[in-house]
Amino acid sequence: MARIQRSSFRKQWHQAVRRALNVMPVRWRFALYRRMIDCDPAPPGHLQLKIADTREELTACFQLLHDAYVASGFMKPHPSGLRVTPYHALPTTTTLCAKIDGRVVGTMSMIREGVFGFPLQAAFDLNEVRAKEGQIAEISALAVHPDYRKTGGAILFPLMKFMYEYCTRYFDVRHLVIAVNPDKIELYESLLFFQRLRGNVVDKYDFANGAPAVGATLDLAQAPALFERVYGSRSARKNLFKYFVQTRLPHIQLPQRRYHTTNDPVMTPELLDHFFNRMTQGFAELDERKRLLLRSIYGLPDYDPVLPGRQPQAIGHHPLRRHQRYSLRCPAQLVLGGVALPLTVIEVSAGGFQAECKVPLPLDAQGTAVVELGDQERSTLQVRIMRNGGRSSVYGGFYGFKLLGADEPWRRCVAALEQGQTAADLMRPVAVAVADVAAAPAPAPAASPASAPATPRGVGPLAAVG
């Protein structure tokens, strides 16, 4: 009884504070929120921040999220005690966790645009954000354990710091989008400078059990200047510019990458089966198109038994373009007629690659490409320019290249990307074929059929060649 009374009192107190804040001018409210910041640039050493990549860590994250969403009315209790969405099955989703003494006390997921799009796109118009250059990621599935919600952001700010650093340095993301309860939107606007998406409040947001929601976006390329202007002269614990942009927290365990991949898939066949077939019926509840899209991603034999089967009526369905688990952004240089031109390789195969180039390239010309596959992995290739992708971006035009011969680093990279189930697999040695691949066709420039969503700008999937 006493606990219920305390809970009721807190709720009434919060409502009273909210009503008092609402009568203040927006400028005063934002200034008040900024004065309440408490970001410790040297959090306790027993705090650990990492990508959730084990069954135990993912389970703890999904349990924490379930309990937080049920308590807030954003979902109904699930028999599994977990909140697992189809987006968690995608290699373009990364789940972060904060741990204290080995116990998960906070979590957040970043959903980069993939074959399912975004959760919020069903309710909010993203055309204005998509019209700008750069990849988009939806920040979702945020939850902090109740024991740490009153500690002045001791878990929340480190999680947000991890998210900012991962998105800007590792995830190849420029724009963040969020869908939050109207009661929380001003915190994101005032502290992090999110701007509301066009349109009114969505009264019933299906992804949150019909709760109201507001959509907003942040351009990470502009964020440092905004942070410096507002926070640059403030003390360390209230200076989000130094905290997000300059501070390096040793508590953050950043991913180790052998190659210049831009995502970190963790879902093995065993994990997919556990979370989406056994603990929940997530795969059984997918529509036929999403079932086929999943199969277009996880194209290895070990995944086949755990992925949702095709419905009988799907026989004869238009085949989907193959989508791979890993995306790439590899710096490269093309030498044509003694002139060196910068490239960015975004899609590779045994017989060729696709790249972006800011300079128009002549078709059927031959040259030498030097591709930085990773910090310590470089490939030198003789290539022929085969195709113009017919589209361009701030990075330039898209071109397909055919290999006239592949060296050992290239074969190792392609084999790792084709055989690896998770990001950790890319760090291990792989067997490579030594056969001549000069006759293999180059990957076609990214162009999705009508039955599949467009490939995200700036990243191309590994092409199926053979």
Side-chain angles (χ1 to χ4, degrees), residues 198-366:
R198 288 186 176 181
N200 299 323
V201 174
V202 173
D203 293 331
K204 293 184 178 181
Y205 184 41
D206 290 341
F207 201 66
N209 196 35
V214 177
T217 182
L218 173 66
D219 186 339
L220 291 174
Q222 298 177 0
L226 292 172
F227 290 156
E228 185 173 22
R229 177 172 57 81
V230 174
Y231 300 115
S233 61
R234 301 197 177 198
S235 62
R237 295 184 73 105
K238 297 187 180 297
N239 193 325
L240 289 186
F241 168 68
K242 289 184 178 180
Y243 187 73
F244 282 123
V245 180
Q246 298 179 338
T247 300
R248 291 291 176 260
L249 296 182
H251 312 71
I252 294 177
Q253 183 178 320
L254 292 166
Q256 299 296 311
R257 291 175 175 171
R258 180 177 181 179
Y259 300 109
H260 289 313
T261 50
T262 63
N263 62 328
D264 295 281
V266 302
M267 287 295 177
T268 63
E270 293 75 20
L271 289 177
L272 287 176
D273 188 44
H274 177 74
F275 288 114
F276 298 94
N277 292 327
R278 300 179 184 277
M279 298 301 294
T280 74
Q281 295 299 305
F283 281 168
E285 295 169 356
L286 292 178
D287 61 37
E288 186 56 31
R289 180 173 177 274
K290 289 184 177 179
R291 291 175 178 223
L292 293 173
L293 286 171
L294 269 181
R295 287 189 168 274
S296 76
I297 295 170
Y298 295 106
L300 294 175
D302 288 348
Y303 283 93
D304 191 65
V306 307
L307 293 175
R310 294 187 178 189
Q311 299 292 345
Q313 63 269 26
I315 296 176
H317 191 281
H318 190 284
L320 296 179
R321 181 174 185 264
R322 184 182 176 193
H323 295 80
Q324 279 290 338
R325 294 170 300 286
Y326 309 99
S327 54
L328 298 164
R329 288 200 70 80
C330 298
Q333 189 177 75
L334 174 68
V335 180
L336 284 178
V339 178
L341 303 171
L343 299 176
T344 301
V345 173
I346 61 174
E347 183 174 343
V348 305
S349 74
F353 61 85
Q354 186 183 194
E356 301 161 336
C357 184
K358 290 188 176 182
V359 179
L361 299 178
L363 298 185
D364 207 38
Q366 294 187 26

Side-chain angles (χ1 to χ4, degrees), residues 347 349 351-357 361-365 384-391 397-403 440-446 463 465:
E347 183 174 343
S349 74
F353 61 85
Q354 186 183 194
E356 301 161 336
C357 184
L361 299 178
L363 298 185
D364 207 38
R384 176 183 288 121
I385 305 170
M386 299 298 294
R387 302 181 183 89
N388 185 322
R391 59 192 178 99
F398 291 77
Y399 294 88
F401 293 78
K402 179 180 179 180
L403 304 189
V465 175

